[in-house]
Amino acid sequence: MPDLADGVARFQQDVFPAKADLFARLAAHHTPHTLFIGCSDARVVPELITQGEPGELFVIRTAGNLVPAYTPGANGVTASIEYAVAVLGVSDIVVCGHSACGAMTALAEGHDLSGAPVVADWLRHADAALARTAGVAAGPQKTATLVRQNVYAQLANLATHPSVARALAEDGVTLHGWVFDIAGGRIERLDVAGSGAAFVS
């Protein structure tokens, strides 16, 4: 906790003054251009990866970067998606998976999650991705394949949300699938049609 307090002090002393004009504008305007849905993993920091300024990204972080398919009723992930798309009018949505993902590793390796029943239940949102990797032999390649298939599956889930479906029908939003390589710092941009991928630096 002292490290966090020191960080706040540095922010207030060094960072904030250099961006005071930006924060003054942001105090009255909230117009992010991108909804970024990433993993809760502490090693995956959207603003650092994208070098985005405050106010540019509307961020949702969940274990395994999972997006439950739409169901009626109150849900924090659904509400955040709807707000970003229908109210803030983001033009792009990124679903970002990452290497060494604990959630995907647990699924790929069949870990015993009986001691974490809520986690086990949450990971059911990756069932479609897991089914797509059924023929891949266990090991690092299965986890890597699952990470990518999970991004595709969550993009499909995302499209079931009414706000997203409307925006897609009106060409008001573009979906993107990314995989962040922690060790190499690379972003793999997935073809959302599932036909290929390209590395970008």
Side-chain angles (χ1 to χ4, degrees), residues 80-147:
S80 297
I81 290 168
E82 183 178 80
Y83 187 74
V85 176
V87 178
L88 298 176
V90 296
S91 59
D92 294 274
I93 304 176
V94 174
V95 174
C96 183
H98 68 95
S99 63
C101 178
M104 295 304 105
T105 299
L107 290 175
E109 298 181 357
H111 291 183
D112 178 9
L113 295 174
S114 57
V118 176
V119 172
D121 192 44
W122 173 252
L123 294 183
R124 294 298 304 272
H125 296 298
D127 279 355
L130 191 59
R132 292 174 190 161
T133 64
V136 181
Q141 186 57 44
K142 185 177 180 77
T143 300
T145 301
L146 181 57
V147 165

Side-chain angles (χ1 to χ4, degrees), residues 67-72 77-78 81-82 93 125 152-168 175:
V67 179
Y70 177 78
T71 56
V77 175
T78 299
I81 290 168
E82 183 178 80
I93 304 176
H125 296 298
Y152 288 125
Q154 303 318 310
L155 286 167
N157 286 349
L158 185 62
T160 68
H161 290 250
S163 58
V164 177
R166 281 192 298 270
L168 287 170
L175 303 184

